[in-house]
């Protein structure tokens, strides 16, 4: 019934829909709901401690025996750069004064840690059927350990070059992440945001360049988007922003409200929240300091100095300093529980497919 069964067969799922891993936002209840509905639920581990990730995986395995995806970042931790850090703090000084925050407040480092041996121990213990990465792949020894568990391995590519590289390293599937996508750009062989490619252009070019199944991501939020992705040659879709509207998404009322009102051109690519380019709804901090800043420390260090500003302004009911990650298609989303959303957009895609076939 689906025009392409390669990804469904690869992972043993029913619907070619991956709920995107969303660090800090989507946890075990969302993963279980999507996997139980027949899609592939993803647990993002980038912001979790090993203990938290273990608890989440335990809960997921207790509640469903369906396939799941565990997702990790694999960036190179940056060198300490005191000058850069000082310049960043100076850039933020006026905001500290305005919000009456002591500029000597001690600030913990960002929790975003790359995949390591300890997280790999969890993969070998809980054997998720799929393990996916953002920002390339971890080193060969870690990859080998994952492979031995039988998990399918995938990662995001934002260019054909990155897709070819991932295939050469043995990825079983590749996520083609178009420019429309919410959250961080998965880019790892280029730093040039200005040449990043939209989903419509990227997906068919990646499909032509690699042999493994390609998953389309970025700006897909309903049955029309899913059908379009299949027409471009994708074997599945990875959807993030649309799932942010679900009750399972652990986002603040401020974030939810911003998403509800987000128009097609309300998001931009910014590095001011973490130091890496990511798409978010434009707010005061992005407008005044970015959206791209030369002063922002390298990923993930930029996040630390921002945390007190965010906390204080959220307490006062403002999202001025909050990273409101969102793709360009927030408007297309529906407020439904994650299982229902998964089933409904899959059914809509198939209905659209049948009506197109009838017309032809
Ligand atoms: C709030 C949010 C958090 C995200 N966190 C992650 C993450 O932890 N790991 C990852 O691989 N991708 C992450 N992404 C990117 C998604 O995997 C995916 O590329 C993107 O959501 C697709 O575009 P869409 O948001 O338009 O559906 C995140 C996206 C959003 C919106």
């Amino acid at each position: 019934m689906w025009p392409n069964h390669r990804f469904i067969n690869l992972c043993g799922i029913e619907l070619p829909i991956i709920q995107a891993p969303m660090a800090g936002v989507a946890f075990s209840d969302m993963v279980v709901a999507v996997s139980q509905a027949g899609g592939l639920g993803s647990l993002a581990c980038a912001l979790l401690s090993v203990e938290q990730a273990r608890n989440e995986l335990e809960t997921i395995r207790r509640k469903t025996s369906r396939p799941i995806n565990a997702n990790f970042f694999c960036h190179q931790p940056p060198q300490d750069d005191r000058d850069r850090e000082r310049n960043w703090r100076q850039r933020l000084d006026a905001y500290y004064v305005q919000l009456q925050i002591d500029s000597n407040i001690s600030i913990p480092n960002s929790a975003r840690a790359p995949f390591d041996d300890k997280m790999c121990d969890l993969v070998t213990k809980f054997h998720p059927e799929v393990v996916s990465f953002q920002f390339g792949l971890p080193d060969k020894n870690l990859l080998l350990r994952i492979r031995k568990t039988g998990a399918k391995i995938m990662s995001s590519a934002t260019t054909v070059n990155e897709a070819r590289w991932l295939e050469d390293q043995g990825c079983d599937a590749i996520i083609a992440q178009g420019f429309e996508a919410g959250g961080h750009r998965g880019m790892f062989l280029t730093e040039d945001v200005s040449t990043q490619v939209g989903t419509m252009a990227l997906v068919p070019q990646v499909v032509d360049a690699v042999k493994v199944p390609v998953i389309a991501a970025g700006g897909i939020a309903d049955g029309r988007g899913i059908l379009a992705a299949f027409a471009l040659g994708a074997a599945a879709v990875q959807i993030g922003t649309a799932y942010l509207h679900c009750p399972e998404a652990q986002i603040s009322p401020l974030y939810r409200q911003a998403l509800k009102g987000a128009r097609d051109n309300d998001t931009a690519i910014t590095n001011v929240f973490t130091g890496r380019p990511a798409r978010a709804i434009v707010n005061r901090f992005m407008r005044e300091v970015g959206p791209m800043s030369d002063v922002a420390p390298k990923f993930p260090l930029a996040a630390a100095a921002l945390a007190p500003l965010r906390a204080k302004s959220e307490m006062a009911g403002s999202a001025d300093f909050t990273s409101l990650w969102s793709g360009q298609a927030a408007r297309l989303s529906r407020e439904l529980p994650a299982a229902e959303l998964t089933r409904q957009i899959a059914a809509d895609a198939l209905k659209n497919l049948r009506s197109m076939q009838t017309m032809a």
Side-chain angles (χ1 to χ4, degrees):
M1 94 177 143
W2 292 99
N4 184 328
H5 284 88
R6 290 182 71 201
F7 188 74
I8 295 182
N9 293 345
L10 183 74
C11 303
I13 53 176
E14 285 165 32
L15 305 174
I17 297 175
I18 305 170
Q19 161 254 316
M22 292 188 282
V25 166
F27 298 94
S28 48
D29 48 352
M30 170 108 64
V31 179
V32 171
V34 173
S35 285
Q36 282 293 101
L40 185 67
S42 306
L43 180 72
C45 297
L47 280 168
L48 301 179
S49 65
V50 174
E51 207 42 49
Q52 287 169 327
R54 177 181 295 113
N55 288 341
E56 288 294 293
L57 287 165
E58 249 161 27
T59 306
I60 293 167
R61 284 309 199 198
R62 203 172 50 244
K63 293 188 173 173
T64 182
S65 54
R66 300 282 180 101
I68 56 155
N69 169 30
N71 170 266
F72 305 90
F73 284 0
C74 52
H75 54 284
Q76 287 292 329
Q79 305 278 350
D80 268 345
D81 183 340
R82 298 228 165 130
D83 288 344
R84 209 168 169 132
E85 199 58 44
R86 195 177 324 109
N87 290 342
W88 185 233
R89 290 298 297 267
Q90 268 168 13
R91 182 68 187 84
L92 304 190
D93 252 1
Y95 297 116
Y96 272 68
V97 172
Q98 208 176 88
L99 294 184
Q100 297 175 334
I101 300 169
D102 179 358
S103 58
N104 294 318
I105 190 173
S106 94
I107 298 171
N109 271 337
S110 163
R112 293 172 178 86
F115 186 66
D116 60 8
D117 269 313
K118 287 199 174 120
M119 283 294 188
C120 202
D121 290 345
L122 291 186
V123 170
T124 51
K125 180 167 163 43
F126 292 98
H127 49 85
E129 288 71 12
V130 178
V131 175
S132 74
F133 293 98
Q134 183 85 316
F135 316 133
L137 289 170
D139 78 45
K140 288 209 159 57
N141 292 334
L142 289 171
L143 265 190
L144 201 65
R145 285 186 63 196
I146 299 171
R147 197 163 290 293
K148 280 188 182 153
T149 69
K152 304 298 173 209
I153 298 173
M154 54 191 205
S155 184
S156 293
T158 66
T159 61
V160 166
N161 215 12
E162 288 176 348
R164 286 207 176 103
W165 186 90
L166 291 174
E167 184 175 51
D168 288 347
Q169 309 307 307
C171 275
D172 299 290
I174 287 163
I175 304 148
Q177 190 200 36
F179 199 48
E180 299 90 323
H184 285 99
R185 307 286 315 134
M187 53 207 290
F188 59 94
L189 294 181
T190 174
E191 293 192 348
D192 187 354
V193 178
S194 69
T195 55
Q196 287 281 279
V197 190
T199 306
M200 188 85 177
L202 180 66
V203 172
Q205 294 188 73
V206 171
V207 168
D208 287 348
V210 300
K211 294 195 179 64
V212 295
V214 174
I215 297 141
I220 301 166
D222 62 14
R224 292 170 297 181
I226 296 172
L227 188 54
F230 275 93
L232 298 174
V237 294
Q238 176 159 301
I239 297 179
T241 302
Y243 282 100
L244 290 174
H245 295 258
C246 299
E248 291 92 342
Q250 293 195 19
I251 61 175
S252 66
L254 284 171
Y255 192 168
R256 212 169 268 282
Q257 197 182 327
L259 274 168
K260 268 191 197 170
R263 292 163 304 184
D264 53 346
N265 61 347
D266 277 341
T267 69
I269 298 286
T270 183
N271 67 346
V272 296
F273 293 115
T274 64
R276 250 187 195 268
R279 186 174 291 283
I281 297 170
V282 178
N283 62 0
R284 178 182 168 201
F285 188 60
M286 280 172 71
R287 245 189 321 269
E288 292 178 1
V289 179
M292 295 298 286
S293 162
D294 293 338
V295 189
K298 294 250 183 274
F299 181 87
L301 301 178
L306 201 67
L309 296 170
R310 173 183 176 153
K312 186 96 188 250
S313 87
E314 283 184 358
M315 264 186 330
S318 157
D320 278 354
F321 296 90
T322 306
S323 48
L324 303 165
W325 307 131
S326 169
Q328 291 180 327
R331 244 306 150 76
L332 294 177
S333 315
R334 279 171 276 182
E335 268 177 76
L336 291 172
E340 223 172 304
L341 179 70
T342 308
R343 282 192 290 261
Q344 206 169 102
I345 55 179
D348 286 350
L350 288 174
K351 195 167 132 211
N352 289 346
L353 176 63
R354 280 191 297 272
S355 79
M356 279 182 159
Q357 284 165 337
T358 313
M359 279 194 291

